[in-house]
Amino acid sequence: MRFTVLAAAAALMITGTPAVQASGGGAQVPKIDWAACGPEHPGFECASVKVPLDYDDPRGATTTVALARKPATDSARRIGSLFLNPGGPGGSGVDFALGAGNTLSANLQGRFDIVGFDPRGVGRSDPLHCFQSEEDLGKFFEGIPGFPYQAAQERPFFDRYRSLGPECRDDQRIARHMSTADVARDMDLLRRAVGDRKISYLGFSYGSFLGATYANLFPDNIRALVIDGVLDPELWSSGRQIESDRIATKEEFREFLRTCDEAACVFGPQSEKRWDALLKSVRAKPIELGGQVFTYDAVINAAIGAMYSPSDWPDAAAFFDQLSDAAAGSLSAAAEPDYPNGFDAYNGNACADIEYPRDFHSYRAISRYAEAGSEFGPAWWWGNAACANWPANPDRFTGPWRTRTSAPVLVVGNYFDGVTDFRGAQAANRQLAGSRLLAYAGWGHTAYGVSKCATDHTNAYLLNGALPPVGTVCPANPNPFLPSVASAEPLFKPSRR
């Protein structure tokens, strides 16, 4: 399932309520009782702890946060814990640690406990559920497109998504306490619980917003903090992310088309003309291929999905080639909720953080602004209608974002990132005084595990605090359509959906 990300237009920017700057003081530091995660995860330990539901009442009601860790293998030179966030919002840090912990541990010489946690309301951490079952979740999407691409679809889509707010909020206390600021307060409590004087953190995609929030709430508690695939926190928190989204995917997708032609991929030659013709055809009439029906929104969302990882580009090009041939007629047509709560948690966090418009006409107007940027703009925008009847959390943090931290933050950005564009990394670098920008001149979402240069610099910083020289630009990997490159998979696939 695809989760539509947050955004809004500058022309209709909403002014949020003042942020509460609570630091979580007075909260009791939990004791973590680690135990083996089970035979399917050898060498990993799991636990759950209680943290304050509301940091304005730190000794009151609690909520549960689940954790997993890969203990340091070089105990003699152990530095401490490295906290992770894989993105989303709504991504499971527990799953991320279990899946990537061995690789990360090896990359970092076994000197860290690799620690992932499911943010409050996510996965195993007192999860928010808006539906009674996975079947009911599926029914929510019936009869509406992935995003509206015809005028007649807009009002039904808006009404359906707007209805999500009361469904999620009613009788679920966690829904009122899922802001990123509260996740950052939880993370600082976890830092204290594992015995670290200062935090070491590696956050991807939405995890960059969590990292920036932590840095601004707890600037004196930083040992080493890396944000990779960076959201501009000022844009994101103010609901103006659409200013980036309306053009960022287009910039990377044009590189997809250019490198396709350069490598003589199956969707070329003249892949841009074929893409434009494909969109014109599928907008007029859905395409049947292999027994499935593909609508315009499905094709756009497939293109957005492929921009996360250039290793997917050859398959995406083959898919678009088949769709184009099919459009031309050369192929024949043919009880207790326990489901994964990524969609629910995404909106629970996003709507807690950002004050979005309430009325249909604003969403429609912003969609026109988004579409003027590129064909991908509306796909990024419309899912925010889930927040139209969902009040933001008064404990959220909306800035100011400009602070100096006790250790410099490492900001990593790709030149062609269609999910969190390079301008976001540049903005975070300007906002965080003393931070260092590391650029990767290639494609895709995030650089760690994709670019050896960026990975090596990140490892050196986490291990020793060694920053790359000012102005460092890691060279792009070879053309993703070359056979020797296409088979290479990135180590990690963070998400912002």
Side-chain angles (χ1 to χ4, degrees), residues 14 37 45 65 80 133 157 223 252 283 355 357 380 387-388 434:
I14 302 299
C37 294
E45 298 174 337
V65 172
S133 66
F157 184 97
R223 176 197 164 271
E252 187 184 358
R283 185 185 275 273
E355 189 75 42
W380 287 111
C387 301

Side-chain angles (χ1 to χ4, degrees), residues 346-370:
Y346 177 93
N347 291 296
N349 177 265
C351 301
D353 275 348
I354 302 168
E355 189 75 42
Y356 277 110
R358 303 296 186 198
D359 64 291
F360 168 69
H361 297 292
S362 293
Y363 280 87
R364 184 170 59 184
I366 295 172
S367 177
R368 302 295 184 268
Y369 167 80

Side-chain angles (χ1 to χ4, degrees), residues 32-344:
I32 305 179
D33 294 321
W34 296 104
C37 294
E40 66 276 22
H41 300 295
F44 285 85
E45 298 174 337
C46 291
S48 62
V49 298
K50 298 291 187 182
V51 298
L53 178 68
D54 184 350
Y55 280 91
D56 291 331
D57 183 16
R59 300 283 179 165
T62 61
T63 187
T64 300
V65 172
L67 306 95
R69 74 171 177 180
K70 167 73 174 179
T73 57
D74 187 350
S75 56
R77 298 193 303 152
R78 179 182 175 275
I79 294 171
S81 296
L82 176 65
F83 287 90
L84 308 175
N85 184 276
S92 168
V94 168
D95 289 345
F96 190 51
L98 294 175
N102 285 323
T103 299
L104 268 171
S105 181
N107 283 0
L108 296 168
Q109 304 172 14
R111 299 182 63 191
F112 286 97
D113 294 343
I114 306 300
V115 179
F117 68 98
D118 287 356
R120 52 174 55 211
V122 175
R124 301 165 182 82
S125 294
D126 193 8
L128 172 68
H129 279 115
C130 303
F131 307 93
Q132 290 300 310
S133 66
E134 193 164 12
E135 181 181 4
D136 287 343
L137 169 64
K139 289 179 181 177
F140 177 85
F141 299 102
E142 290 179 358
I144 58 172
F147 67 90
Y149 57 94
Q150 297 173 346
Q153 299 169 335
E154 293 177 340
R155 172 63 81 169
F157 184 97
F158 174 80
D159 289 342
R160 181 74 58 82
Y161 266 67
R162 186 179 185 275
S163 73
L164 192 65
E167 290 288 337
C168 295
R169 294 194 327 265
D170 292 352
D171 302 321
Q172 295 197 70
R173 60 181 192 167
I174 190 61
R176 296 183 288 276
H177 300 281
M178 286 183 64
S179 73
T180 298
D182 279 334
V183 177
R185 295 174 183 118
D186 292 343
M187 191 162 69
D188 196 61
L189 207 57
L190 295 175
R191 171 194 64 80
R192 296 165 64 191
V194 299
D196 286 356
R197 189 172 65 87
K198 295 181 183 292
I199 200 164
S200 299
Y201 174 80
L202 177 58
F204 301 93
S205 196
Y206 159 78
S208 71
F209 182 68
L210 173 57
T213 301
Y214 183 93
N216 280 274
L217 287 176
F218 303 101
D220 295 329
N221 294 352
I222 310 296
R223 176 197 164 271
L225 191 145
V226 183
I227 51 178
D228 184 357
V230 183
L231 291 164
D232 178 343
E234 289 183 344
L235 284 186
W236 180 268
S237 63
S238 65
R240 293 164 41 227
Q241 182 63 28
I242 195 62
E243 294 178 21
S244 165
D245 291 336
R246 68 196 287 266
I247 56 175
T249 307
K250 176 183 70 174
E251 290 173 340
E252 187 184 358
F253 194 77
R254 295 303 177 255
E255 283 291 293
F256 165 85
L257 298 174
R258 182 188 67 77
T259 55
C260 170
D261 286 347
E262 182 180 78
C265 89
V266 294
F267 194 50
Q270 297 184 314
S271 58
E272 185 160 2
K273 288 185 177 180
R274 290 194 75 193
W275 172 251
D276 292 341
L278 172 60
L279 290 189
K280 182 177 181 180
S281 175
V282 74
R283 185 185 275 273
K285 180 182 178 181
I287 298 171
E288 294 185 21
L289 176 65
Q292 291 184 268
V293 176
F294 294 93
T295 51
Y296 176 86
D297 55 304
V299 175
I300 289 291
N301 281 333
I304 291 175
M307 295 304 98
Y308 279 76
S309 174
S311 65
D312 295 333
W313 288 10
D315 287 342
F319 173 61
F320 297 145
D321 178 59
Q322 291 177 332
L323 283 176
S324 295
D325 288 346
S330 61
L331 291 177
S332 58
E336 177 69 18
D338 58 359
Y339 60 88
N341 79 323
F343 175 75
D344 316 47

Side-chain angles (χ1 to χ4, degrees), residues 411-453:
V411 181
V412 186
N414 297 4
Y415 277 0
F416 298 100
D417 183 336
V419 183
T420 55
D421 69 2
F422 187 63
R423 287 177 287 270
Q426 291 173 309
N429 176 230
R430 290 193 300 269
Q431 293 157 14
L432 291 164
S435 64
R436 184 65 50 84
L437 177 63
L438 172 63
Y440 166 52
W443 315 272
H445 184 40
T446 74
Y448 190 86
V450 176
S451 160
K452 183 179 184 303
C453 165

